[in-house]
Amino acid sequence: MRATLIYGAGDIRVENVPDPRIHRPTDAVVRVLRSCICGSDLWPYGSREATEHGDRIGHEFLGIVEELGSDVSGLKRGDLVVAPFVWSDNTCDFCAEGLQTSCRHGGFWASQDVDGGQGEAVRVPQAQGTLVKLPVAEDSALLPSLLTLSDVFCTGHHCAVTAGVGPRTTVTVVGDGAVGLSAVLAARRLGAERIILMGRHKGRTDLGRDFGATDVVAERGEEGIERVRELTGGDGTHTVLECVGTLPALHMSVGAVRAGGTISRVGAPQYPEVPFGFPEFASNLTLTGGMAPARAYIEELLPDVLEGRIEPGRVFDRTVDMDGVPEGYRAMADREALKVLVEP
Amino acid sequence: MRATLIYGAGDIRVENVPDPRIHRPTDAVVRVLRSCICGSDLWPYGSREATEHGDRIGHEFLGIVEELGSDVSGLKRGDLVVAPFVWSDNTCDFCAEGLQTSCRHGGFWASQDVDGGQGEAVRVPQAQGTLVKLPVAEDSALLPSLLTLSDVFCTGHHCAVTAGVGPRTTVTVVGDGAVGLSAVLAARRLGAERIILMGRHKGRTDLGRDFGATDVVAERGEEGIERVRELTGGDGTHTVLECVGTLPALHMSVGAVRAGGTISRVGAPQYPEVPFGFPEFASNLTLTGGMAPARAYIEELLPDVLEGRIEPGRVFDRTVDMDGVPEGYRAMADREALKVLVEP
C-alpha cells in the first residue's frame, strides 16, 4: 500500500510500504477512507532534521474495518469507524477518567512500529478501545465532519471544556487555524455568551463568525490585548482558548483573560516555560488544557454531527489524493489552505 | 497608638503613630485584639531595601469595633470582628463571584494611607463588606483559630478548593510552613483520601499528621519526587498544593502530580516563569490557585472553628506583645517559630 513519510523539514514523500497485518489479537486493520493533515504535522514539516529513512506521519483517519484480531469484540469487517489521534484500551483507570491520552496501554500513531494515518490502510492497536463505529455509508457527505472527531473538533471541544466554558461565559479564542475555529464552534455549542476570535485571515475569521464568533480582533500582541480589553469594559474575558502553541499567543492569552479566569491551551507548546508569576497569581489565573483525549468526547459529539446541528468539517478547504499529500503540506504551511483532507 | 513598621531587610520597629480615625463614611476603626506575622511578611523582611521612613506592615487581625462611619450598617461598636487580608466592598461583580481579592473598590492593608494589621488599632476601609462578626467574647480561647480565618487557614482552604480536592482525591502538600499545614487541614476537611506532606521539620510535620497528613516525605528535589511516586504506585497524586512560592517547590509539584492532575499554588511566587511546556501539556496538567479571597470563605469555615471540629490556630507556637514583634519576625525567619501571634 501507499503511505506518507516525512524525511525532514519540507520533505514529504508518498511511498509503497508493506500492507498492514494483524500483529496482536487486539489489533484491527482499517482501510482509510479519509485522512487529513494537522497543524501539529507542520511543526516537524517546518523543522525536522533530514534523515535517510523516512518516518510515517499522520494521526487522523476514518475508514472501513478490513481485518480483526481474535480478541476484538464489538466490531465487524465492513464497519465504518473513526480513530482518535491517540490509541487506547479505553478501560484502564486513566481511560475511565476520560484521559485516554494517558492510557496505560495506549500510544501514538506513526510511532515505533505503528502506522501513520496518512496512508491507504492502518494497523490499529487496541482496536476495541480505540475505534468508534459511525452509522453512515462510505459515500456519506458527513465524512469530513465525522473525521474532525478524530482530532481537530475534539481538540477545540477539550479546550472549551477544560476552560469551563458554559452559558454566561465570555471567551477569547487565540488563533484562526482549524483548531481555533473548532474551539469557536465548541464554545458556541456549550452556550458561550460572547466569543471574541483573534485572527488576521479574513477567510478564516469569516468562517469563525459562521461558527459563532461574535467579535473578531485582527490586531496582535499588546494591540490585540488592548482591543479585547476595550471590548470587555477593560476586564478581559472569563476564558481564553489558546489554539496556537507559541509564546506570543500565550502572552496574548494572559493579557486578554479576566481576573479569576482560565487560559486553556491546546496548541502543542513550542516553549519550555510560561510567564505565570506574581501578577498572574495575584489575579487568580488558571492555566489548563493539554493534549485532547478525543476518544472521551466522540460519543458525546457524534449526534450533533450526524443530525447536522454542527458542521465542523467546514474547516477543510482543500482535498487531495495520496499523490497530492506533499502539495497539501506545502499549501497548509504557506497558509494557502486552512486544513487539507486526504482521500486516498 | 503603637504600630509595626518595616525600615528594610531585618529592620522591624514598633513606633508611635497617629491614632486611626474615620476618613470616609464607609470606614470603621477596630482595636486589635490579636494579629500575627505571615510567611509573606518574611519576603520584605528578607530583602527589602532600607528606607528612611518606615512602612506599615501586617495584614491579619481581629478586634473590637470602636468607631463606625455613617454609611456602615450591620455592625455596631463593641462587635468582635475578623478582617480578611484584603479589604473589599463585598458587593461588586468580582466579590459576588467570590473573588474579593480583585474587588473593584478594595485594596491591601499597609498600603498607601491604609493601616497595617500589626498595630494596636486599624482604620478599616469598606468596613461593611470587609469585617465579619464573630460571636465570641474578648477572652475566648478560640481567638487564635478565628484569627487564621483572616489569611492562613483560608489560604490553605483556597489552595485545596481550587485544586478540586474532595473525597477520593489524593493530595501532596509541598511545604510544612503554616500555610502548608493549613492546606493539610483543609484537604482533610474536604475529605481527601490521602495527604502526603512534604516537609523536613519534624515538629511541623508532626502537627501536619495531627491535621490529617497520612504520609510525610522529608526528601526534597528529585528524591522527594521519587518518594511521592513510590508512595503512589509511580503515578503521583491527583492534586499538589504548593504552599511555598519558590521555583524548587514548583518543580517538585510538577514532578509529584499525576497525569490529568492539578497543581494549586498559594505561596506568593518568587519567580516570573514556570516550567509548563510540552511535557506538562501532554499530561494535561492544570496550574491554578492564587491569592486567596479569604472573605469568600469565612462564613463557610466559621462554624467548624466555633464548634471545635477544626483547630487551625494550632499553627501558632509563639505569642508576643507589641514590643516582641521584631523578635517574632526574627524567630520566624530563623525557623525557630512556625507562626507568631501578636497580642498588642
Side-chain angles (χ1 to χ4, degrees):
Chain A
M1 71 152 183
R2 302 179 77 209
T4 305
L5 292 93
I6 180 166
Y7 279 78
D11 188 359
I12 296 285
R13 307 182 199 173
V14 176
E15 297 184 348
N16 286 314
V17 300
D19 287 341
R21 292 179 305 109
I22 301 292
H23 289 186
R24 296 187 181 171
T26 47
D27 288 350
V29 171
V30 169
R31 172 171 54 88
V32 176
L33 286 177
R34 296 289 186 283
S35 177
C36 56
I37 304 172
C38 182
S40 69
D41 293 330
L42 299 181
W43 297 117
Y45 184 73
S47 64
R48 179 177 289 200
E49 273 186 44
T51 51
E52 288 199 18
H53 69 283
D55 289 311
R56 297 286 186 91
I57 191 165
H59 53 261
E60 299 154 285
F61 63 95
L62 55 70
I64 302 291
V65 175
E66 301 257 288
E67 277 185 82
L68 287 165
S70 55
D71 282 1
V72 183
S73 63
L75 291 170
K76 61 179 192 307
R77 289 178 63 165
D79 280 346
L80 202 161
V81 292
V82 64
F85 73 93
V86 173
W87 48 270
S88 62
D89 64 19
N90 211 32
T91 57
C92 78
D93 54 344
F94 282 115
C95 287
E97 293 166 24
L99 199 69
Q100 285 86 343
T101 42
S102 294
C103 174
R104 295 192 190 274
H105 310 104
F108 295 89
W109 303 109
S111 162
Q112 295 172 334
D113 71 335
V114 179
D115 296 319
Q118 293 159 7
E120 292 179 328
V122 175
R123 179 179 71 86
V124 178
Q126 299 290 352
Q128 187 175 321
T130 301
L131 298 172
V132 180
K133 200 176 157 175
L134 301 174
V136 296
E138 277 196 42
D139 60 352
S140 167
L142 292 175
L143 293 191
S145 283
L146 292 167
L147 178 60
T148 68
L149 299 177
S150 177
D151 181 345
V152 65
F153 184 56
C154 285
T155 291
H157 179 68
H158 183 60
C159 198
V161 167
T162 53
V165 171
R168 304 195 57 191
T169 310
T170 55
V171 181
T172 299
V173 176
V174 177
D176 59 7
V179 174
L181 300 180
S182 297
V184 168
L185 182 61
R188 177 77 191 129
R189 180 180 169 279
L190 292 167
E193 181 178 289
R194 186 173 194 181
I195 304 169
I196 301 170
L197 172 59
M198 301 187 80
R200 295 180 304 155
H201 305 84
K202 190 165 181 306
R204 300 179 178 196
T205 56
D206 282 350
L207 178 54
R209 287 188 193 273
D210 279 2
F211 275 177
T214 52
D215 305 85
V216 169
V217 169
E219 293 86 346
R220 309 171 92 178
E222 291 305 317
E223 261 187 293
I225 291 170
E226 205 176 308
R227 191 81 192 90
V228 174
R229 296 253 162 209
E230 278 169 20
L231 287 169
T232 54
D235 288 340
T237 52
H238 298 113
T239 64
V240 177
L241 311 186
E242 197 283 274
C243 300
V244 179
T246 62
L247 209 49
L250 194 71
H251 275 284
M252 283 206 294
S253 303
V254 170
V257 74
R258 188 171 179 271
T262 299
I263 298 161
S264 179
R265 57 181 186 169
V266 289
Q270 305 301 305
Y271 47 76
E273 296 193 313
V274 300
F276 225 66
F278 190 82
E280 294 74 29
F281 169 85
S283 297
N284 274 276
L285 301 188
T286 295
L287 180 61
T288 188
M291 191 179 284
R295 182 64 187 83
Y297 299 125
I298 295 177
E299 282 93 343
E300 175 188 351
L301 299 173
L302 188 55
D304 280 0
V305 175
L306 290 174
E307 291 157 31
R309 283 188 291 275
I310 54 173
E311 212 178 340
R314 290 180 66 194
V315 294
F316 294 111
D317 58 350
R318 187 171 299 195
T319 302
V320 297
D321 58 13
M322 286 302 297
D323 287 330
V325 171
E327 168 62 12
Y329 271 81
R330 190 209 54 74
M332 272 180 67
D334 292 347
R335 293 180 177 271
E336 276 175 26
L338 172 57
K339 191 167 174 75
V340 172
L341 189 69
V342 179
E343 210 174 317
Chain B
M1 70 149 184
R2 302 179 76 208
T4 305
L5 291 94
I6 181 165
Y7 279 79
D11 190 357
I12 295 286
R13 306 181 200 175
V14 177
E15 297 184 346
N16 286 314
V17 300
D19 286 343
R21 292 178 305 108
I22 300 292
H23 289 187
R24 295 187 183 173
T26 47
D27 287 350
V29 172
V30 169
R31 172 171 57 86
V32 175
L33 287 176
R34 296 290 186 283
S35 178
C36 56
I37 303 172
C38 183
S40 70
D41 294 330
L42 298 181
W43 296 118
Y45 184 73
S47 64
R48 181 177 287 200
E49 273 188 45
T51 50
E52 288 199 16
H53 69 281
D55 288 310
R56 298 286 187 88
I57 190 165
H59 52 261
E60 299 155 285
F61 63 96
L62 55 71
I64 302 291
V65 174
E66 300 255 288
E67 276 186 82
L68 285 166
S70 55
D71 282 0
V72 183
S73 62
L75 291 169
K76 61 181 191 306
R77 288 179 63 164
D79 280 347
L80 201 160
V81 291
V82 64
F85 74 92
V86 173
W87 48 270
S88 61
D89 64 19
N90 212 29
T91 57
C92 78
D93 54 345
F94 281 115
C95 288
E97 292 166 25
L99 199 69
Q100 285 87 346
T101 42
S102 294
C103 173
R104 295 193 190 272
H105 309 104
F108 295 90
W109 305 109
S111 163
Q112 295 172 335
D113 70 337
V114 179
D115 297 319
Q118 291 159 8
E120 293 179 328
V122 175
R123 178 178 71 86
V124 177
Q126 299 291 350
Q128 186 176 319
T130 301
L131 298 171
V132 180
K133 200 174 156 176
L134 302 173
V136 296
E138 277 196 40
D139 61 353
S140 168
L142 293 175
L143 293 191
S145 283
L146 292 167
L147 177 60
T148 69
L149 299 177
S150 178
D151 182 344
V152 66
F153 184 56
C154 285
T155 291
H157 178 70
H158 182 61
C159 197
V161 167
T162 53
V165 172
R168 306 194 56 191
T169 310
T170 55
V171 181
T172 299
V173 176
V174 177
D176 60 6
V179 173
L181 299 180
S182 297
V184 169
L185 183 61
R188 177 77 190 127
R189 181 180 168 280
L190 292 167
E193 179 178 289
R194 186 174 194 181
I195 303 170
I196 301 170
L197 173 58
M198 301 189 80
R200 296 181 305 154
H201 305 84
K202 188 164 182 309
R204 300 179 178 194
T205 56
D206 283 351
L207 179 55
R209 288 189 193 271
D210 279 5
F211 275 178
T214 52
D215 305 83
V216 169
V217 169
E219 293 87 348
R220 311 170 91 177
E222 290 304 317
E223 263 187 290
I225 292 169
E226 205 175 309
R227 192 81 192 89
V228 173
R229 297 253 161 208
E230 277 169 21
L231 288 168
T232 53
D235 288 340
T237 53
H238 298 114
T239 64
V240 176
L241 311 186
E242 197 283 274
C243 300
V244 179
T246 62
L247 208 49
L250 194 71
H251 274 285
M252 284 206 294
S253 303
V254 170
V257 74
R258 186 172 180 272
T262 298
I263 299 161
S264 179
R265 56 179 186 171
V266 289
Q270 305 301 304
Y271 48 78
E273 295 193 316
V274 300
F276 225 66
F278 189 83
E280 294 74 28
F281 168 85
S283 296
N284 273 277
L285 301 188
T286 294
L287 180 61
T288 187
M291 191 179 283
R295 182 65 187 83
Y297 300 125
I298 296 178
E299 282 94 343
E300 176 188 352
L301 299 173
L302 188 54
D304 280 0
V305 175
L306 290 173
E307 292 156 30
R309 283 188 292 275
I310 54 173
E311 213 178 339
R314 291 180 66 194
V315 295
F316 295 112
D317 58 352
R318 188 172 297 197
T319 301
V320 297
D321 59 12
M322 286 302 297
D323 287 331
V325 171
E327 168 60 13
Y329 271 81
R330 190 208 55 75
M332 273 181 66
D334 291 348
R335 293 181 177 270
E336 278 175 26
L338 173 57
K339 191 168 174 75
V340 172
L341 189 70
V342 180
E343 210 175 318

